């Protein structure tokens, strides 16, 4: 952990304590077994919101604490450790960022206080194909007398069933693949013409496919400016990516620590398997990756807080590094646990499955390597 | 309270910065500004240290600023860590460099400050601080590499002195050294607890030096042979058979210097991406034409940035006073890996031009890239091999059980 303020340390400790006490992996397991449609526990979410964590990046004027991205990242990391299912990343990080960065005064006044207190949940509805490709928008927004009419479909919308507010990218000009001609809209999720279907994913979180059939939205629902939503969208996505990276770091750390503990207690050939150098060196390699990943995640979050010009580069760096690390650690968690790691009764499978959905969300490692090279000019 | 203190420190820093600037302006020979060749001469033969370089060494040695944080009574600068940082920043800004380097400054001096007797400190530290006496390290042996504690060079007691017999290997710049600090076995019945730490002169009967030619064509290391070398008992550092503790401390100094100096300075040469555009070319969109190569350059840059960010994070954590960071244990391996990967990529990028050994068909840059690639293969071997570093992480950080009773 880099140098934190006293308040940040208190926030992190509070999140750590709450997650261990009130939201262990067993709580996630219970949620999964209950098969609740929104894919998180409403009481837990209320507790999270009551502690103010949904308003960490929201300005005080709209009911938040304006405490910054690194601070919210610390909470996401601790909740990520225990695989806590909640809309915190989608709503308090992604959607709140969209409103703070690009929202009009009335959009902010309408939504931010409710997001900060947790009574409204927002999410980003961006992707349409098999991979993250935010410029490949085919969903159309056609001008009408009163505003726009939306048609199209979005996939892999996190917390899509629970959301009250959708931040939707749609094309007002150009062709899929063009960065120009994209416009962002704030759309109430209960607007007529919106259809939502649950996507039952491996990680049992609340992803949805959302369809728009002649959905009418007012002109005042545009976030940013018509046709030039790309640069705003890129900034919003970078905040969502940084938040997700923090959650992935937490989950990877926990998966690693569980595995190291197992190496100390599992006895074969008359000794703990952790005494075998083949396993020790793989563990040392994972520890190394985790330390590097932490540096990149913290740097990305700090860069956002400081308004640094290299946010995009650092965010891609973090998503690559933490993506590589979580991939490796989640695989090794299964391998080093052996047979028990293959059972549903054990938690290893949860970490593996969560690793892969986090990896795909907001750009996988290949996406961000390509982006990193482009930013660096080669 | 702490704010008042830090404000005071800040004011003192400003005053000190002015003092440093004035002194550098008056004393650093302008002819040496940015002279990399002169910097490289520091560690070579004494005869090569002449003219302005010699003048600069004498001035820095006299001021004690080559070893800024050592006590002034032993020839050091007597500066605080914060002042030393200011000195370093101002030297960089002025294009100056530290003209006194090597194992004496980096490893033996700090260790002697901790473990030496008053007489030993008085005898040795000034020579190191002034750069006049040069030291080499006698640790590794042909039969004791990663398992250093299995060393067998022996020191037998003969009245007021020891007689040393055996040999050492991988002694950096042994041919240029005046003194050696050396691990010897004084008890064959115990492993770690039978080792003593001694120092002695290199220029004496019974010490024979043979340079070792490396795959890179150069000979920065020597093999050193001892036949009945007389070492006064007063030259024992730390207790008899207590040398391993002293050695471990010295190795810590070695590793921390390696990471800060070697692994994290950033681009020594041309950035790989630029090199690739020159040798491999670009596609119509301005991307490196070889897409697989392009992604591997990304990986190297990603790792390099991650290491740099980790170094910065460790420095910040140190400021917070929460003790040494566990992250520092990873730096040697990852820092060296980044450099080795970079060298491999550079070679691949240059293609046929990256395979030249010597001659006019290759540019100086091409030839030096090849030699550096070869020399860099040592990075994951010396100063605790990659595998030894992983053992340390596994045991000391992760608390995994010890597979043997070794170190």
């Amino acid at each position: 952990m880099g140098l934190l303020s006293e308040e940040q340390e208190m926030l992190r400790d509070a999140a750590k304590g709450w997650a261990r006490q009130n939201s262990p992996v067993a709580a996630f397991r219970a949620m999964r077994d209950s098969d609740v449609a929104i894919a998180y526990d409403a009481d837990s979410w209320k507790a999270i919101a009551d502690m103010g964590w949904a308003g960490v990046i929201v300005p005080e004027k709209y009911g938040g604490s304006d405490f910054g991205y690194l601070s919210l990242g610390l909470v996401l990391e601790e909740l990520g450790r225990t695989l806590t299912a909640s809309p915190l990343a989608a709503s308090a990080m992604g959607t709140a960022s969209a409103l703070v960065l690009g929202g009009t005064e009335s959009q902010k006044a309408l939504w931010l206080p409710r997001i900060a207190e947790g009574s409204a949940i927002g999410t980003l509805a961006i992707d349409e194909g098999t991979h993250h490709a935010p410029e490949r928008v085919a969903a159309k927004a056609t001008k009408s007398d009163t505003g726009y009419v939306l048609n199209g479909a979005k996939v892999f919308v996190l917390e899509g069933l629970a959301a009250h507010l959708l931040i939707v990218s749609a094309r007002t000009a150009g062709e899929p693949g063009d960065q120009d001609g994209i416009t962002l809209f704030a759309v109430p999720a209960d607007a007529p013409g919106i259809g939502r279907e649950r996507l039952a994913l491996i990680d049992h979180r609340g992803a949805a496919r959302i369809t728009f059939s002649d959905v009418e939205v007012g002109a005042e629902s545009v976030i940013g400016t018509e046709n030039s939503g790309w640069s705003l969208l890129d900034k919003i996505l970078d905040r969502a990516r940084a938040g997700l990276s923090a959650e992935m770091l937490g989950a990877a750390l926990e998966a690693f620590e569980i595995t190291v503990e197992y190496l100390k207690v599992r006895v074969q050939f008359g000794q703990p398997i952790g005494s075998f150098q083949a396993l020790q060196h793989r563990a040392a390699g994972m520890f190394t990756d985790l330390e590097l990943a932490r540096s990149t995640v913290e740097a990305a979050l700090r860069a956002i807080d400081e308004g640094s010009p290299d946010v995009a580069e650092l965010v891609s760096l973090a998503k690559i590094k933490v993506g590589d690390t979580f991939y490796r650690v989640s695989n090794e968690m299964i391998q080093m646990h052996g047979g028990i790691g293959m059972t549903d009764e054990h938690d290893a499978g949860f970490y593996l499955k969560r690793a892969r959905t986090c990896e795909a969300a907001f750009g996988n490692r290949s996406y961000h390597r390509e982006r990193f090279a482009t930013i660096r000019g080669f | 309270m702490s704010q008042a203190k830090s404000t005071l420190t800040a004011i003192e820093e400003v005053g000190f910065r002015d003092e440093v600037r004035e002194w550098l302006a008056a004393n650093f020979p302008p002819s040496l500004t940015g002279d990399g060749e002169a910097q490289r001469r520091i560690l070579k033969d004494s005869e090569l240290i002449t003219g302005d370089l010699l003048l600069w060494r004498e001035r820095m040695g006299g001021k004690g600023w080559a070893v800024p944080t050592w006590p002034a009574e032993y020839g050091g600068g007597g500066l605080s860590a914060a002042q030393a940082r200011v000195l370093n920043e101002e030297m960089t800004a002025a294009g100056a460099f530290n003209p006194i380097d090597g194992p004496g400054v980096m490893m033996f001096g700090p260790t002697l400050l901790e473990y030496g007797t008053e007489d030993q400190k008085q005898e040795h530290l000034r020579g190191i601080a002034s750069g006049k006496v040069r030291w080499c390290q006698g640790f590794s042996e042909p039969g004791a590499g990663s398992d250093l504690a299995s060393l067998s060079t022996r020191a037998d007691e003969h009245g007021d002195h020891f007689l040393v017999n055996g040999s050492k290997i991988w002694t950096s710049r042994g041919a240029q050294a005046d003194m050696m600090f050396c691990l010897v076995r004084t008890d064959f019945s115990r492993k770690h607890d039978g080792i003593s730490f001694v120092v002695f002169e290199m220029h004496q009967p019974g010490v024979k030096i043979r340079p070792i030619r490396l795959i890179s064509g150069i000979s920065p290391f020597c093999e050193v042979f001892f036949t009945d070398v007389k070492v006064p008992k007063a030259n024992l550092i730390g207790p008899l058979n207590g040398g391993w503790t002293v050695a471990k401390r010295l190795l810590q100094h070695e590793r921390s210097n390696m990471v800060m100096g070697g692994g994290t300075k950033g681009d020594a040469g041309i950035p790989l991406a630029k090199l690739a555009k020159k040798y491999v070319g670009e596609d119509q969109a301005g991307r490196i034409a070889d897409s697989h190569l392009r992604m591997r350059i990304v990986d190297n840059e990603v790792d390099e940035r991650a290491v740099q960010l980790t170094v910065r994070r460790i420095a910040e954590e140190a400021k917070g006073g929460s003790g040494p960071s566990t992250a520092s244990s990873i730096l040697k391996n990852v820092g060296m890996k980044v450099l080795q990967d970079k060298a491999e990529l550079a070679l691949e990028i240059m293609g046929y031009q990256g395979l030249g050994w010597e001659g006019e068909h290759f540019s100086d840059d091409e030839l030096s890239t090849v030699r550096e690639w070869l020399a860099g293969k040592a990075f994951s071997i010396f100063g605790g091999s990659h595998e030894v570093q992983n053992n340390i992480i596994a045991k000391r950080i992760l608390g995994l059980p010890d597979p043997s009773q070794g170190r």
Side-chain angles (χ1 to χ4, degrees):
Chain A
M1 195 65 52
L3 206 52
L4 299 178
S5 70
E6 207 171 304
E7 291 85 358
Q8 283 171 330
E9 284 188 11
M10 282 169 60
L11 179 66
R12 182 198 56 196
D13 292 346
K16 187 188 276 293
W18 181 83
R20 297 246 177 258
Q21 197 70 38
N22 301 82
S23 182
V25 183
F28 171 78
R29 180 180 293 278
M31 186 283 293
R32 180 203 67 166
D33 292 344
S34 75
D35 215 24
V36 51
I38 55 172
Y40 63 84
D41 177 60
D43 291 339
S44 289
W45 173 239
K46 187 170 184 314
I48 288 170
D50 285 349
M51 286 180 284
W53 298 343
V56 172
I57 64 157
V58 174
E60 290 179 15
K61 139 178 207 205
Y62 302 110
S65 55
D66 203 4
F67 204 18
Y69 282 86
L70 178 60
S71 301
L72 184 53
L74 296 171
V75 177
L76 287 166
E77 181 187 330
E78 292 305 329
L79 269 52
R81 275 184 172 267
T82 61
L83 301 175
T84 299
S86 93
L88 192 63
S91 190
M93 190 70 129
T95 309
S97 291
L99 293 165
V100 168
L101 288 172
T104 62
E105 185 51 44
S106 58
Q107 285 167 344
K108 290 180 186 172
L110 178 63
W111 288 106
L112 281 176
R114 295 171 61 199
I115 285 177
E117 72 177 17
S119 61
I121 287 158
T123 192
L124 306 177
I126 307 298
D127 283 322
E128 301 180 8
T130 54
H131 290 75
H132 179 64
E135 74 287 351
R136 227 172 283 164
V137 179
K140 269 206 156 64
T142 320
K143 271 237 160 89
S144 70
D145 293 344
T146 53
Y148 300 83
V149 177
L150 298 182
N151 278 289
K154 298 288 179 179
V155 297
F156 207 70
V157 180
L158 307 177
E159 318 300 342
L161 290 185
H164 305 94
L165 171 65
L166 307 173
I167 307 297
V168 182
S169 58
R171 194 156 284 290
T172 39
E175 298 296 324
D178 295 346
Q179 293 182 353
D180 285 340
I182 293 172
T183 307
L184 300 182
F185 296 90
V187 184
D190 58 0
I194 290 182
R196 299 197 264 184
E197 300 152 37
R198 178 164 186 196
L199 289 173
L201 301 183
I202 51 175
D203 69 344
H204 286 275
R205 295 284 292 267
R209 178 173 187 271
I210 301 190
T211 52
F212 301 83
S213 310
D214 293 332
V215 176
E216 294 186 24
V217 295
E220 75 287 351
S221 62
V222 171
I223 301 179
T225 47
E226 190 187 68
N227 286 338
S228 24
W230 171 257
S231 66
L232 174 61
L233 176 59
D234 204 36
K235 287 192 180 75
I236 296 166
L237 286 169
D238 270 341
R239 278 130 186 98
R241 288 160 181 153
L244 188 65
S245 296
E247 185 187 330
M248 292 166 77
L249 175 66
L253 275 167
E254 189 74 14
F256 174 68
E257 287 169 15
I258 291 170
T259 304
V260 169
E261 282 315 303
Y262 186 72
L263 296 182
K264 292 177 189 172
V265 298
R266 170 67 174 171
V267 173
Q268 289 286 276
F269 306 104
Q271 52 196 317
I273 59 173
S275 65
F276 299 131
Q277 203 177 35
L279 298 185
Q280 287 189 347
H281 285 194
R282 275 153 63 191
M286 286 190 276
F287 174 78
T288 303
D289 278 356
L290 283 162
E291 288 290 345
L292 294 176
R294 169 177 295 292
S295 306
T296 64
V297 170
E298 286 185 14
L301 290 162
R302 279 183 204 274
I304 295 172
D305 282 334
E306 289 161 7
S308 155
D310 54 358
V311 165
E313 188 179 326
L314 286 169
V315 165
S316 279
L317 180 74
K319 191 76 168 52
I320 293 167
K321 205 68 211 168
V322 82
D324 282 346
T325 303
F326 199 10
Y327 177 88
R328 176 180 185 177
V329 170
S330 60
N331 278 343
E332 288 284 49
M333 185 182 198
I334 300 268
Q335 180 65 25
M336 290 186 175
H337 277 85
I340 188 75
M342 290 297 295
T343 65
D344 183 71
E345 189 189 347
H346 197 272
D347 292 339
F350 290 161
Y351 285 91
L352 179 73
K353 293 164 183 171
R354 185 63 185 154
R356 295 307 182 276
T357 51
C358 288
E359 166 64 10
F362 304 124
N364 63 15
R365 293 169 288 158
S366 294
Y367 178 90
H368 285 286
R369 280 183 163 86
E370 178 63 40
R371 186 171 183 250
F372 185 87
T374 305
I375 293 169
R376 300 278 297 142
F378 60 86
Chain B
M1 164 77 185
S2 73
Q3 197 170 4
K5 192 179 161 205
S6 67
T7 308
L8 182 69
T9 313
I11 292 167
E12 282 172 354
E13 256 184 42
V14 172
F16 181 69
R17 196 176 288 278
D18 290 342
E19 185 193 330
V20 171
R21 274 186 201 162
E22 276 171 35
W23 189 85
L24 285 174
N27 290 283
F28 178 62
S31 68
L32 296 179
T33 308
D35 187 347
E37 197 276 328
Q39 288 191 53
R40 283 191 289 277
R41 263 189 286 150
I42 296 168
L43 291 173
K44 294 186 177 165
D45 294 337
S46 296
E47 298 82 71
L48 295 173
I49 302 174
T50 54
D52 278 352
L53 183 59
L54 183 61
L55 182 68
W56 176 229
R57 194 181 81 176
E58 282 170 356
R59 287 174 175 171
M60 275 290 272
K63 189 84 178 164
W65 280 359
V67 281
T69 58
W70 292 12
E73 56 184 308
Y74 304 125
L79 304 184
S80 68
Q83 286 174 321
R85 199 162 51 240
V86 170
L87 172 62
N88 196 23
E89 286 164 8
E90 289 303 319
M91 292 229 300
T92 307
F97 55 87
N98 192 338
I100 300 172
D101 198 0
V105 171
M106 296 294 178
M107 300 183 253
F108 178 62
T111 310
L112 191 68
L113 275 169
E114 209 172 320
Y115 289 97
T117 63
E118 186 55 34
D119 283 351
Q120 289 169 337
K121 291 181 199 174
Q122 291 292 354
E123 186 181 350
H124 299 300
L125 289 173
R126 281 184 182 278
I128 296 171
S130 66
K132 283 178 188 153
V133 180
R134 303 208 284 178
W135 288 74
C136 65
Q137 179 183 35
F139 273 28
S140 294
E141 296 179 8
S146 287
D147 184 12
L148 181 60
S150 69
L151 60 92
S152 61
T153 290
R154 61 189 303 147
D156 298 292
E157 298 188 48
H158 279 259
D160 64 348
H161 62 269
F162 297 102
L163 281 182
V164 174
N165 283 282
S167 70
K168 292 288 174 180
I169 195 167
W170 309 125
T171 304
S172 298
R173 296 183 177 77
Q176 289 84 29
D178 307 298
M179 297 287 293
M180 174 181 268
F181 53 89
C182 186
L183 293 182
V184 292
R185 184 157 298 287
T186 37
D187 184 343
F188 277 81
S189 68
R190 295 176 297 176
K191 189 174 180 181
H192 298 78
D193 296 334
I195 293 171
S196 297
F197 190 114
V198 296
V199 302
F200 52 83
E201 285 186 30
M202 291 291 280
H203 312 295
Q204 65 167 307
V207 178
K208 210 179 108 198
I209 297 166
R210 189 178 74 87
I212 303 168
R213 187 174 156 91
L214 298 183
I215 53 174
S216 55
I218 58 169
S219 306
F221 301 104
C222 298
E223 204 167 356
V224 186
F225 303 91
F226 313 113
T227 311
D228 289 338
V229 174
K230 276 178 83 168
V231 176
K233 280 192 174 165
N235 288 13
L236 182 68
I237 312 290
L240 186 70
N241 294 323
W244 186 246
T245 308
V246 185
K248 274 197 296 190
R249 188 80 187 108
L250 187 135
L251 288 173
Q252 279 177 353
H253 288 298
E254 180 177 17
R255 279 165 198 159
S256 63
N257 279 314
M258 210 157 14
V259 172
M260 298 312 162
T264 56
K265 272 184 182 160
D267 285 333
I270 312 166
L272 288 178
K274 207 172 154 199
L275 203 65
K277 285 191 174 185
K278 180 181 164 194
Y279 282 88
V280 181
E282 303 174 34
D283 67 9
Q284 284 169 340
R287 292 176 296 220
I288 294 163
D290 177 339
S291 62
H292 185 230
L293 171 67
R294 178 167 170 259
M295 284 301 120
R296 285 182 291 139
I297 293 173
V298 168
D299 284 341
N300 186 245
E301 282 206 3
V302 162
D303 284 343
E304 184 170 38
R305 288 294 298 277
V307 172
Q308 288 165 351
L309 291 169
T310 303
V311 170
R312 205 168 74 189
R313 177 161 71 87
I314 290 168
E316 276 170 16
E317 286 172 4
K319 270 189 256 167
S322 52
S325 166
T326 54
S328 52
S329 64
I330 70 162
L331 285 180
K332 201 256 170 182
N333 274 359
V334 290
M336 299 300 128
K337 172 100 168 49
V338 165
L339 292 178
Q340 290 180 333
D341 289 349
K342 192 182 285 250
E344 288 285 3
L345 284 165
L347 208 72
E348 181 185 328
I349 287 166
M350 297 190 308
Y352 297 145
Q353 292 306 110
L355 297 171
W357 180 252
E358 59 190 12
E360 64 198 24
H361 298 290
F362 306 96
S363 72
D364 287 348
D365 280 344
E366 287 165 349
L367 291 174
S368 68
T369 303
V370 172
R371 301 298 178 110
E372 280 162 25
W373 160 70
L374 287 164
K377 291 297 165 199
F379 294 165
S380 47
I381 301 170
F382 63 50
S385 70
H386 188 91
E387 289 71 21
V388 166
Q389 298 295 332
N390 276 339
N391 286 347
I392 291 171
I393 294 171
K395 276 181 245 167
R396 298 199 197 147
I397 310 278
L398 302 179
L400 289 170
D402 204 338
S404 71
Q405 294 310 305
R407 67 191 278 206

